């Protein structure tokens, strides 16, 4: 999936921008994207900060507002004070701390409590292990600003959000753009050529091929008290006439007990009941379920409750994603298989059947209240889970404390 085999290539590109050949670590680091304090800034072979390089850093810090970030968070006053003392340990320490903080936030985003907002998309810590060395190399070669720019997203969504921020004066609109630029920085750089894209606030699923939506589907997503988490989860198969294994959270909330019509109950260790709903016209998953690989029991599925698709606000489910016209989506994704009629045959019957898709599709489940529109501009949506305000509060809060250079 995302990241994986692209880690070394990503670091090589960072190194090229810095003018440095990097040795990529493959194990043994405790650094994580959300914990920049564990990064080492020791660079024995790199040059020290000059006054001119520190002034370049100040210019880069000032430009952070174009990315929706607060320049003051990168301690420009400390860098200016160190410049006044001239070159030496004080300037190295102040400039290293500011540059590393800025580079980290460009590459990974600034807000650290992402899981509290349902963000479960992880980034490899190995993207960060060479940041201190690469920063010093870029500084030494007079390419600091160019290097920092390589850390930012370069996709069309981020460019559209940045362009909109540059021409937007309304504080509310600016806040929404800033929140979504921050989310874009959380994502791994680069996406697959073919994937399914679910943007929760848009209530839409798009089949993406080479950067273009070849088809779109109306969806229902998690309700406010059972929000759909954000993740990247592959699907390589679908189930026709699925059983529904009722999550324990729903069993408890609905107080489901043996004797309830239409369900099967099995006593488990600890006294809980495992509850299953057999296939049929009342099955909560409908006729088709796409299997996703994740530990949140999130998948794409049909539903007998079609009325929800007609509502404007479609945050209604227990967390999974209900897809309108899912038969059409299944047909579309099954194209190219060895037997084009296998889906129709399965749907004509009542037996549970698992069908392999001709290819594995990464499913991006994300949360953008401002996203790239079909015209190349920014399309905006409501914020059903109220996440935008929390991101802005974090962006405008106290500075993230960075480890100083040893």
């Amino acid at each position: 999936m995302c990241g994986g085999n692209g880690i070394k290539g990503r670091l090589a590109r960072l190194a090229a921008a810095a003018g440095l050949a990097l040795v990529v670590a493959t194990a043994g680091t405790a650094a994580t994207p959300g914990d920049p304090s564990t990064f080492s800034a020791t660079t024995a072979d790199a040059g020290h900060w000059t006054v001119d390089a520190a002034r370049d850093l100040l210019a880069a810090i000032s430009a952070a507002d174009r990315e929706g970030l607060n320049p003051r968070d990168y301690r420009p006053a400390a860098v200016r004070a160190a410049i006044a003392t001239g070159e030496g340990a004080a300037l190295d320490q102040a400039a290293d701390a500011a540059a590393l903080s800025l580079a980290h936030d460009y590459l990974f985003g600034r807000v650290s409590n992402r899981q509290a907002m349902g963000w479960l998309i992880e980034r490899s810590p190995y993207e960060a292990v060479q940041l201190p060395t690469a920063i010093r190399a870029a500084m030494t070669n007079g390419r600091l600003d160019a290097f920092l720019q390589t850390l930012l997203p370069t996709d069309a969504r981020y460019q559209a959000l940045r362009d909109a921020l540059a021409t937007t004066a309304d504080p509310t609109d600016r806040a929404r753009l800033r929140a979504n630029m921050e989310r874009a920085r959380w994502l791994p750089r680069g996406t697959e050529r073919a994937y399914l894209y679910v943007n929760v606030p848009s209530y839409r699923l798009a089949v993406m091929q080479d950067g273009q939506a070849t088809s779109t589907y109306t969806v229902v997503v998690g309700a406010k008290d059972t929000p759909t988490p954000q993740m990247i989860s592959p699907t390589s198969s679908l189930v026709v006439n699925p059983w529904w294994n009722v999550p324990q959270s729903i069993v408890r909330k609905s107080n489901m007990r043996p004797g309830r019509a239409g369900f099967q109950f099995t006593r488990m260790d600890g006294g809980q009941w495992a509850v299953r709903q057999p296939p049929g016209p009342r099955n909560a998953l409908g006729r088709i379920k796409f299997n996703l690989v994740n530990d949140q029991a999130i998948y794409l599925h049909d539903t007998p409750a079609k009325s929800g698709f007609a509502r404007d606000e479609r945050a209604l489910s227990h967390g999974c994603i209900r897809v309108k016209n899912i038969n059409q989506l299944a047909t579309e994704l099954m194209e190219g298989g060895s037997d084009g009629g296998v889906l129709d045959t399965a749907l004509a019957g009542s037996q549970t059947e698992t069908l392999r898709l001709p290819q594995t599709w990464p499913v991006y489940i994300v949360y953008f209240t401002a996203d790239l529109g079909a015209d190349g501009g920014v399309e905006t949506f409501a914020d059903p889970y109220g996440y935008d305000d929390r991101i802005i509060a974090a962006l405008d809060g106290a500075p993230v404390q960075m480890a100083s250079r040893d």
Side-chain angles (χ1 to χ4, degrees), residues 245-327:
N245 297 310
V246 185
Q248 282 299 310
S249 59
I250 298 177
V251 172
R252 291 191 298 270
K253 185 174 182 179
S254 301
N255 196 28
M256 300 179 76
R257 293 290 184 272
R260 184 163 176 171
F263 293 89
Q264 295 182 4
F265 291 78
T266 303
R267 193 77 169 185
M268 299 189 302
D269 293 340
Q272 292 181 319
W273 291 100
V275 184
R276 303 181 75 204
Q277 186 181 33
R282 299 180 63 182
N283 184 281
L285 305 185
R287 296 295 309 281
I288 294 176
K289 178 187 78 167
F290 282 88
N291 291 319
L292 272 62
V293 180
N294 60 80
D295 61 1
Q296 303 293 309
I298 298 297
Y299 34 82
L300 313 176
H301 67 87
D302 186 20
T303 177
K306 309 294 187 185
S307 61
F309 295 125
R311 296 178 57 168
D312 291 333
E313 298 180 3
R314 297 191 291 277
L316 306 170
S317 79
H318 291 287
C320 285
I321 299 161
R322 307 171 189 168
V323 183
K324 183 179 181 181
N325 298 325
I326 198 168
N327 289 26

Side-chain angles (χ1 to χ4, degrees), residues 364-377:
Y364 283 70
I365 304 174
V366 295
Y367 193 97
F368 285 94
T369 58
D371 203 356
L372 183 67
D375 62 355

